[in-house]
Amino acid sequence: MRTPREGATHGTPPAGLASFRADPDRLLKVVLDTLDGSKAEDIVVVDLKGKTSIGDHMVIASGRSQRHVGALADHLIKKLKDEGYGRARVEGQPQGDWVLIDAGDVIVHLFRPEVRDFYNLEKMWSADRPMERMVV
């Protein structure tokens, strides 16, 4: 087995990250089942295919409080690791207002309700892209 440094040098993913991008639909199911089991509220999936290269799906959900948002993030991070998706990158967990979890093909945003209403990511990402203008 290659070390992470050897994997980077030879173009293969390091051990533990090989399955990270293996099956986006299975990853989405794991995320949704975990959030539902942890009592997340208002779970929305935004399809990003064809809109951006950052991932295939964006999941947006709310927790009832800062503590609930932190617990949702903890449960999801642990479940992703247990399911073999490696270590997800996490931002904002100590504050608990808005936690971003980058699991590769699925990006997860966990909000307190008032913060979610303020940023309104569903509206921003659900809008269709305007037609590109052709310059002649």
Side-chain angles (χ1 to χ4, degrees):
M1 180 180 273
R2 292 181 176 175
T3 65
R5 184 179 303 260
E6 290 171 336
T9 305
H10 294 92
T12 59
L17 295 180
S19 64
F20 196 61
R21 296 180 58 92
D23 185 2
D25 293 327
R26 179 175 173 269
L27 175 58
L28 179 62
K29 182 173 177 10
V30 168
V31 168
L32 293 176
D33 289 347
T34 303
L35 292 176
D36 187 51
S38 298
K39 307 292 188 220
E41 299 176 347
D42 301 323
I43 302 171
V44 174
V45 177
V46 178
D47 185 14
L48 297 179
K49 293 177 188 167
K51 292 182 180 179
T52 182
S53 62
I54 64 170
D56 289 341
H57 304 283
M58 179 183 299
V59 177
I60 304 169
S62 297
R64 293 180 299 278
S65 64
Q66 287 178 323
R67 184 171 290 188
H68 188 216
V69 170
L72 290 170
D74 284 339
H75 292 154
L76 182 56
I77 293 163
K78 183 177 183 329
K79 185 66 171 182
L80 290 171
K81 188 175 180 183
D82 291 346
E83 291 290 324
Y85 287 100
R87 290 185 307 240
R89 291 170 295 281
V90 182
E91 295 288 333
Q93 194 169 9
Q95 295 81 16
D97 290 328
W98 176 2
V99 179
L100 170 77
I101 301 172
D102 183 353
D105 286 326
V106 177
I107 310 296
V108 181
H109 295 274
L110 303 173
F111 290 101
R112 281 189 309 112
E114 359 4 291
V115 178
R116 182 176 179 173
D117 289 342
F118 180 79
Y119 287 103
N120 201 4
L121 290 183
E122 294 97 323
K123 182 179 178 185
M124 180 181 4
W125 281 99
S126 295
D128 290 331
R129 286 178 36 187
M131 293 294 292
E132 299 286 331
R133 291 189 181 177
M134 195 168 157
V135 179
V136 181

